Amino acid sequence: MANFIKAASVTDIAEGAGKTIEVAGKQIALFNVGGKFYAIDNACKHRGGPLGEGEVDGATVICPWHGWEYDVATGANLDDPSVKLGCYPVKVEGNDILIEA
């Protein structure tokens, strides 16, 4: 059975924004896209930039260090889809955002 852990509150992440959180010892980037939440690994595959601090454009996050772009729903790099970040299932219960750990 999946183990979901509270990661944040719905009000912690504005629509069109991201945030870096820690869940079960992992750094995860959590995003709010149109009221739906997505969680991916926080470290960019290029040089480890903090994706939770990146600019969000629709369902794309842009690494603040060197501009690599990722789809927050799939973790795929937009220029090379074979480069993927880990994705984590997310669900919302009430005001709580839960991530599977």
Side-chain angles (χ1 to χ4, degrees):
M1 184 171 159
N3 185 26
F4 282 85
I5 298 171
K6 180 180 177 183
S9 295
V10 171
T11 55
D12 291 342
I13 305 169
E15 187 171 330
K19 181 177 183 171
T20 301
I21 57 167
E22 185 173 323
V23 175
K26 299 176 197 167
Q27 291 290 311
I28 295 174
L30 182 61
F31 301 96
N32 179 345
V33 178
K36 186 167 169 94
F37 295 91
Y38 299 93
I40 60 174
D41 287 332
N42 188 51
C44 177
K45 292 282 189 176
H46 177 232
R47 299 246 176 176
L51 295 173
E53 297 174 19
E55 179 182 336
V56 179
D57 182 12
T60 300
V61 61
I62 303 164
C63 180
W65 287 4
H66 301 107
W68 280 39
E69 298 178 335
Y70 295 90
D71 182 320
V72 300
T74 66
N77 180 277
L78 297 189
D79 291 323
D80 183 356
S82 70
V83 176
K84 288 193 173 190
L85 298 164
C87 293
Y88 303 89
V90 177
K91 66 181 180 179
V92 176
E93 290 183 353
N95 196 42
D96 296 336
I97 302 170
L98 308 171
I99 296 178
E100 185 176 331

